[in-house]
């Protein structure tokens, strides 16, 4: 009796297939790379967070086609544990969760990033946020004696809490305004952006939209703020294209790039045009994933501490501070008598906010900021 006759029926391969052919096909498919990325991510995140949930093949509904699709990895992470012995506020804090939406791609062909020295907007709205925190906060001046003054300014919450102090939020590296792929067509190379849009940009941002819509369709939580980070983890060369003012092109290799894209204006339910929106996602080489997670975790943990320290100010969109620079260091809730006495508002504030109650919903606002970064980034040149 031959070996083939001893193979059970459920293990018999047909059509001339053999185990070596299957192994090669599976390797080319990308599933082993996805499994390795998920395992690496789970291990590295566990170094920073206690509450880590990883799901592979996470399904979402494409809002344009209404079809069910999936991204390779979804991570749901509780950023900080709550310790009543440390937490001083009498109010319940705002807990932060971090969601990573990840696509894994491997290719022999390089990804090409068309780079700029700075992001397309002065204060990038990344990562995307969803929850009870107001996008802008009215900050009133407070003197050394604790008296709240009439002078005030309006700060975007990212400015208020010092997001741009962190290398993850405002990384000291070039931004990509476009992403493409180099492919060989007969004897010459061609650059195409269609494949990268279909395989990375579109699914990542549509999955973010689905997550936000799903959360918003449920009962709103005053206790939880989500930070959403879409990421492409790639096993492929990552090449940046930079042009000098004289038009000279230079190629550099880099392990992490933030890609920006502008979405067209949307019409809200109320019929208002919300204007064009710039959105972002990160592309990270697999060899750099551990370092990337470390930089991300450091930022989100510190940001979450700042969020937990100021639940009233962030929920109501108002507070007082001794300084308008790094306001979070001395940020406090407004006194009840100041909050109730509308006559204390200066004239110009009444004109701008004629119906200030300090709890009204506010329009999204992204203030400007300049970040300081401590990492010295150096990228190798590829030729001259």
């Amino acid at each position: 009796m031959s070996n083939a006759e001893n193979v059970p029926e459920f293990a018999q391969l047909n059509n001339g297939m053999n185990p070596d052919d299957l192994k090669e096909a599976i390797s080319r498919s990308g599933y082993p790379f996805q499994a390795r990325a998920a395992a690496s991510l789970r291990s590295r995140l566990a170094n920073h967070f206690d509450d880590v949930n990883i799901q592979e093949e996470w399904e979402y509904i494409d809002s344009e086609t209404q079809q069910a699709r999936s991204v390779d990895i979804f991570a749901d992470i509780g950023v900080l544990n709550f310790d009543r012995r440390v937490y001083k506020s009498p109010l319940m804090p705002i807990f932060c969760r971090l969601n990573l939406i990840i696509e894994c791609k491997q290719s022999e062909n390089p990804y090409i990033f068309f780079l700029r020295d700075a992001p397309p907007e002065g204060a990038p709205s990344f990562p995307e946020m969803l929850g009870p925190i107001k996008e802008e906060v009215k900050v009133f001046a407070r003197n050394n004696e604790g008296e709240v003054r009439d002078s005030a300014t309006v700060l975007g919450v990212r400015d208020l809490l010092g997001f741009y102090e962190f290398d993850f939020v405002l990384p000291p590296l070039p931004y990509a305004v476009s992403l493409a792929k180099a492919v060989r067509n007969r004897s010459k190379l061609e650059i195409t952006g269609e494949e990268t849009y279909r395989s990375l940009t579109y699914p990542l941002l549509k999955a973010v939209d689905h997550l936000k819509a799903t959360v918003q369709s449920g009962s709103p939580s005053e206790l939880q703020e989500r930070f959403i980070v879409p990421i492409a983890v790639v096993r492929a060369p990552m090449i940046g294209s930079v042009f000098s003012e004289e038009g000279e092109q230079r190629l550099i290799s880099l392990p992490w790039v933030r890609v920006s894209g502008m979405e067209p204006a949307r019409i809200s339910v109320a019929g208002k045009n919300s204007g064009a929106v710039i959105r972002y996602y990160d592309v990270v080489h697999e060899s750099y994933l551990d370092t990337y997670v470390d930089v991300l975790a450091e930022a989100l943990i510190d940001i979450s501490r700042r969020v937990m320290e100021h639940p009233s100010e962030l929920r109501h969109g108002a507070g007082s501070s001794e300084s308008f620079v790094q306001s979070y260091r001395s940020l406090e809730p407004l006194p009840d008598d100041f909050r109730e006495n509308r006559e204390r508002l200066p004239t110009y504030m009444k004109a701008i906010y004629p119906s200030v109650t300090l709890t009204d919903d506010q329009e999204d606002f992204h203030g400007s900021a300049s970040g300081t970064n401590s990492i010295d980034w150096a990228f190798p040149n590829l030729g001259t």
Side-chain angles (χ1 to χ4, degrees):
M1 183 177 291
S2 66
N3 290 336
E5 293 175 334
N6 291 327
V7 174
E9 185 175 353
F10 61 81
Q12 293 178 6
L13 299 176
N14 302 315
N15 300 323
M17 295 183 187
N18 60 61
D20 290 337
D21 293 336
L22 282 179
K23 289 179 181 179
E24 182 181 352
I26 291 172
S27 296
R28 290 197 309 269
S29 72
Y31 285 108
F33 175 41
Q34 173 185 319
R36 178 175 174 176
S40 176
L41 189 70
R42 182 181 290 107
S43 174
R44 200 68 177 190
L45 288 169
N47 291 342
H48 301 281
F49 309 105
D50 294 331
D51 179 10
V52 177
N53 301 284
I54 302 288
Q55 179 182 336
E56 296 187 57
E57 299 299 322
W58 184 73
E59 287 198 354
Y60 68 94
I61 302 298
D62 186 328
S63 59
E64 291 191 13
T65 66
Q66 299 304 311
Q67 293 181 332
R69 304 182 186 275
S70 66
V71 291
D72 291 334
I73 302 171
F74 175 78
D76 183 43
I77 303 154
V79 179
L80 282 179
N81 294 326
F82 177 60
D83 189 342
R84 173 60 76 178
R85 295 169 298 177
V86 176
Y87 184 70
K88 303 301 183 184
S89 173
L91 301 176
M92 281 300 293
I94 298 174
F95 298 97
C96 294
R97 297 202 73 82
L98 171 62
N99 291 142
L100 307 180
I101 294 176
I102 301 173
E103 280 283 81
C104 301
K105 298 296 177 187
Q106 64 178 8
S107 173
E108 295 181 356
N109 297 322
Y111 287 98
I112 309 298
F113 302 87
F114 297 95
L115 303 176
R116 301 294 183 268
D117 292 336
E121 53 183 343
S125 52
F126 186 88
E128 296 189 27
M129 298 170 60
L130 181 65
I133 293 178
K134 304 297 185 184
E135 275 290 328
E136 62 178 15
V137 178
K138 305 180 192 73
V139 181
F140 290 82
R142 191 179 68 250
N143 62 24
N144 294 333
E145 288 72 40
E147 180 185 2
V148 179
R149 312 303 295 270
D150 286 344
S151 59
T153 189
V154 178
L155 294 175
V157 70
R158 292 175 171 84
D159 280 325
L160 175 70
L161 295 180
F163 282 24
Y164 302 108
E165 299 171 6
F166 298 99
D167 288 318
F168 176 74
V169 179
L170 195 65
L173 72 165
Y175 279 70
V177 295
S178 184
L179 170 61
K181 201 172 185 180
V183 295
R184 186 171 293 281
N185 186 2
R186 297 195 179 104
S187 61
K188 64 179 181 179
L189 286 177
E190 294 184 350
I191 303 297
T192 173
E194 181 180 354
E195 193 272 342
T196 54
Y197 177 79
R198 287 188 290 103
S199 64
L200 293 179
T201 307
Y202 186 89
L204 284 173
L205 297 184
K206 287 299 179 184
V208 171
D209 291 341
H210 172 79
L211 174 61
K212 294 170 75 172
T214 301
V215 173
Q216 290 171 330
S217 65
S219 301
S221 172
E222 289 295 309
L223 301 178
Q224 189 174 96
E225 185 77 17
R226 290 180 184 269
F227 294 85
I228 307 173
V229 180
I231 309 167
V233 178
V234 301
R235 178 186 287 170
M238 294 174 57
I239 309 300
S241 173
V242 181
F243 285 87
S244 68
E245 294 181 358
E246 293 76 25
E248 181 182 357
Q249 182 179 191
R250 184 163 59 98
L251 298 180
I252 59 176
S253 59
L254 52 167
W256 168 22
V257 183
R258 184 153 295 163
V259 181
S260 65
M262 182 173 291
E263 292 191 347
R266 300 180 180 180
I267 305 299
S268 68
V269 176
K272 294 176 61 178
N273 187 323
S274 61
V277 177
I278 298 176
R279 303 182 73 184
Y280 303 86
Y281 64 92
D282 284 343
V283 182
V284 182
H285 193 270
E286 65 163 331
S287 64
Y288 200 73
L289 183 58
D290 284 353
T291 302
Y292 175 86
V293 169
D294 292 344
V295 175
L296 181 155
E298 178 185 3
L300 265 294
I301 289 171
D302 281 351
I303 287 172
S304 296
R305 288 196 181 103
R306 296 176 188 181
V307 168
M308 291 184 73
E309 290 170 356
H310 304 289
S312 175
E313 303 92 302
L314 297 177
R315 286 190 181 107
H316 296 148
S320 70
S321 180
E322 295 175 359
S323 173
F324 294 150
V325 178
Q326 293 187 320
S327 301
Y328 64 88
R329 294 186 180 275
S330 58
L331 187 64
E332 294 182 359
L334 290 175
D336 289 340
D337 57 347
F338 186 91
R339 183 180 302 178
E340 295 170 359
N341 187 358
R342 188 169 177 272
E343 294 305 314
R344 293 290 300 277
L345 289 174
T347 302
Y348 75 89
M349 288 290 292
K350 292 180 188 176
I352 299 174
Y353 307 105
S355 58
V356 171
T357 63
L358 307 182
T359 58
D360 291 342
D361 290 335
Q362 301 161 336
E363 295 293 332
D364 288 354
F365 173 85
H366 302 293
S368 62
S370 60
T372 57
N373 298 291
S374 57
I375 298 179
D376 181 18
W377 295 86
F379 306 119
N381 291 320
L382 299 184
T384 58

